Amino acid sequence: MQGDRPEPDQAAKSDGGGRTVSGRRQPPRWRRRISTTLALIRANPTGRLALKVIIGVLGAIVVSVGIVLIPLPGPGWLIVIAGLGIWAVEFHWAKRLLGFTRRHVQGWANWVKRQSLAVRFVIGAVGIVFVGAVALLSIKYSLGIDVIAQVLHYLATH
C-alpha cells in the first residue's frame, strides 16, 4: 500500500444496497459502460466531432418531432425534453437548460401537491380546457376542419 491511498478493492466496497462504504451511490453498470464508451469516442478528435454531429442531429430530430406534437393531444413536451436530454449528452448549454427545466417542473409539481383538492381540481380542469382548445385550434387551422361547427351541425340535424 502506498501512502494513504486505499486498496482498489477497499475503495469500491459496497454495503450490499448499491452504496459504497463512503455513502455515495455508484451509477448502474449500464451507465458506467456508456460513460466509458463515450470517453473512448471523445479521446479521438474524429470521434469527438462525429459524436457531436450524431448527437446534434438525433437531438434535433427528436426535438422537432416533439415540437410538432405539442399542439396535439399527447406527449409533445415530454418528447421535447427527451430531445433536450439527448443534446445534454454532448452540449453543456443543453445540460444547463435541462437542469433548469427539471427544477421548475419539480417545483411546480411540489407546489401543486401542497394545494387542496379543490385547487388541484381547478388546475386540472384548466389544463384539460387548455389542451382541448389547443387541439381544436390546431385541427381547425392546420387541417381546415372546424370540429365545433361540425358537431353543432350534427346536433342540429339529428
Side-chain angles (χ1 to χ4, degrees):
M1 180 182 242
Q2 295 177 347
D4 294 324
R5 291 190 346 214
E7 300 271 326
D9 59 335
Q10 286 179 339
K13 281 189 179 176
S14 175
D15 66 357
R19 292 183 182 269
T20 60
V21 174
S22 65
R24 295 180 65 186
R25 186 181 182 120
Q26 289 189 356
R29 185 175 180 193
W30 64 269
R31 190 172 238 174
R32 290 191 311 255
R33 181 171 283 177
I34 289 173
S35 294
T36 303
T37 303
L38 290 175
L40 287 172
I41 292 170
R42 289 181 184 123
N44 181 337
T46 305
R48 185 174 31 249
L49 180 62
L51 184 64
K52 278 196 182 289
V53 169
I54 290 169
I55 294 293
V57 170
L58 183 62
I61 290 169
V62 173
V63 167
S64 298
V65 168
I67 288 172
V68 168
L69 294 177
I70 284 173
L72 302 175
W77 281 111
L78 189 62
I79 294 173
V80 169
I81 292 171
L84 194 58
I86 291 170
W87 276 338
V89 168
E90 197 59 31
F91 301 107
H92 187 65
W93 62 266
K95 194 171 197 170
R96 286 192 325 260
L97 184 58
L98 188 61
F100 174 84
T101 303
R102 185 176 292 141
R103 282 190 310 275
H104 282 76
V105 167
Q106 286 175 346
W108 168 255
N110 290 336
W111 180 83
V112 169
K113 287 178 189 174
R114 291 190 308 266
Q115 304 308 308
S116 68
L117 186 60
V119 172
R120 286 189 276 172
F121 179 76
V122 168
I123 291 170
V126 167
I128 289 172
V129 168
F130 177 75
V131 169
V134 168
L136 289 173
L137 291 172
S138 297
I139 291 170
K140 181 177 181 178
Y141 291 111
S142 63
L143 301 176
I145 302 169
D146 190 357
V147 176
I148 295 174
Q150 287 189 353
V151 167
L152 291 175
H153 177 72
Y154 177 82
L155 292 174
T157 57
H158 288 87

